[in-house]
Amino acid sequence: MAVFTPITETDARALLADYTLGELRALRGIPSGIENTNYFLTTSQGEYVLTLFERLTREQLPFYIDLMTHLAEHGIPVPHPQATRDGRRLAELNGKPCTIATLLPGKCEMSPQAAHCEQVGATLARMHLAGRDFPSVQPNLLGLAWWQQTAPVVAPYLDPAAAAMLRDEVDVQTAFAQTDACRALPQGPAHCDLFRDNVLFAGTREAPVLGGFIDFYFAGCDTWLFDLAVCANDWCITHASGAFRPELAQALLGAYARVRPLTDAERASWRTVLRAAALRFWMSRLRDFHLPRPAQTLTPHDPTHFERILRLRRDGDLFPLP
Ligand SMILES: Nc1ncnc2c1ncn2[C@@H]1O[C@H](COP(=O)(O)OP(=O)(O)O)[C@@H](O)[C@H]1O
Ligand SMILES: N[C@@H](CCOP(=O)(O)O)C(=O)O
């Protein structure tokens, strides 16, 4: 249950007094998610999601809130943080920072088909382009520096072969970051966690309509290729093995490239960046599995899934970029 901080109707009414979003009609805790406390909030004017931030600091939060605002105002389907009467998009409730954002239509699709991957690819490329003139910069906080710090912390929980692979991959990524090839990769604000559970679809399974991208709280400035690799490693695979399914990879990557054609530098770096994307989630899952936060009540995701994907990508399981 992802309600770490319970909110009462009285709390919600007091919060709504700072907004011009109408009167409270209903408040319902959202059971999924692992990072924040989320509630569906219905008012006389519409439907919203109230998020209380449990991990991110007040200094870090404006980047995410301003990025979602910028993207929503550029026509990208993402939650639009609402402003208080005095113009703030971050408020406070029960001692925690919070925001009220628009509710997007649809639900997540955990068994995607090519039509879903196509819409994710095209919308991801539109999102990258829309982020080009976003003025704030905050790095992906779970990027290279975090991998370097975290590898010695999680490696002791692995068998010797897996620990050696982890250390080698961090070394490979450290060396790659120093290359001109890496520096040539286009970059900007990136979602960095665009898994199947962070995209909503309305419509039908046969004719899906993308409702939006949610959960921007791992976003940061990174290469756009890293964002695409995170997506490909989750959307375009056979779950049991982690191997690419060509029809899904073709749909995601082809649709992305039709909106933003990929560069030669990106094609040359694809394999290394797919490995980086697998390493990132292997490490965060290892940390959450072996070193859970004190209040963490949810079953952690299986780290071996991304260990398997990393091994496959290192062994050359790829789908070439168009
Ligand atoms: N703006 C939104 N519109 C519709 N549903 C949302 C929205 N934000 C969150 N949700 C719902 O809340 C769930 C948990 O949100 P999420 O941001 O993934 O949580 P966490 O950051 O804790 O992982 C999502 O799976 C989705 O069902
Ligand atoms: N996508 C990550 C976990 C992050 O959880 P989310 O619910 O905030 O998207 C993973 O699969 O390890």
Side-chain angles (χ1 to χ4, degrees), residues 147-215:
W147 309 338
Q148 291 165 336
Q149 282 159 24
T150 308
V153 177
V154 295
Y157 296 98
L158 296 171
D159 67 51
M165 178 168 79
L166 181 82
R167 281 192 286 267
D168 179 66
E169 193 58 40
V170 173
D171 289 348
V172 166
Q173 298 296 337
T174 301
F176 175 65
Q178 310 303 321
T179 62
D180 290 342
C182 180
R183 280 188 277 269
L185 298 176
Q187 40 185 297
H191 185 286
C192 299
D193 183 29
L194 199 60
F195 280 48
R196 300 171 193 197
D197 60 349
N198 285 333
V199 179
L200 304 180
F201 285 97
T204 60
R205 184 162 164 75
E206 292 64 39
V209 180
L210 193 141
F213 293 170
I214 61 169
D215 200 359

Side-chain angles (χ1 to χ4, degrees), residues 98-255:
C98 70
T99 193
I100 297 178
T102 48
L103 181 95
L104 299 175
K107 53 186 176 50
C108 57
E109 174 54 68
M110 299 309 281
S111 304
Q113 297 178 312
H116 301 94
C117 293
E118 229 173 85
Q119 293 184 41
V120 172
T123 308
L124 182 67
R126 285 179 48 225
M127 187 189 89
H128 288 160
L129 295 176
R132 280 178 303 186
D133 59 348
F134 179 63
S136 313
V137 175
Q138 183 162 289
N140 169 7
L141 300 175
L142 299 194
L144 181 65
W146 183 82
W147 309 338
Q148 291 165 336
Q149 282 159 24
T150 308
V153 177
V154 295
Y157 296 98
L158 296 171
D159 67 51
M165 178 168 79
L166 181 82
R167 281 192 286 267
D168 179 66
E169 193 58 40
V170 173
D171 289 348
V172 166
Q173 298 296 337
T174 301
F176 175 65
Q178 310 303 321
T179 62
D180 290 342
C182 180
R183 280 188 277 269
L185 298 176
Q187 40 185 297
H191 185 286
C192 299
D193 183 29
L194 199 60
F195 280 48
R196 300 171 193 197
D197 60 349
N198 285 333
V199 179
L200 304 180
F201 285 97
T204 60
R205 184 162 164 75
E206 292 64 39
V209 180
L210 193 141
F213 293 170
I214 61 169
D215 200 359
F216 276 74
Y217 304 112
F218 286 113
C221 295
D222 207 322
T223 65
W224 288 337
L225 197 64
F226 178 79
D227 222 8
L228 187 58
V230 169
C231 270
N233 275 342
D234 184 63
W235 284 86
C236 308
I237 60 164
T238 299
H239 192 82
S241 67
F244 278 126
R245 285 179 57 189
E247 75 281 15
L248 299 187
Q250 175 62 50
L252 180 93
L253 303 175

Side-chain angles (χ1 to χ4, degrees), residues 33-35 193 195 197-198 215 218 281 284-285 301 306:
I34 62 168
E35 283 290 319
D193 183 29
F195 280 48
D197 60 349
N198 285 333
D215 200 359
F218 286 113
F281 287 96
S284 60
R285 286 182 173 202
H301 294 298
F306 275 106

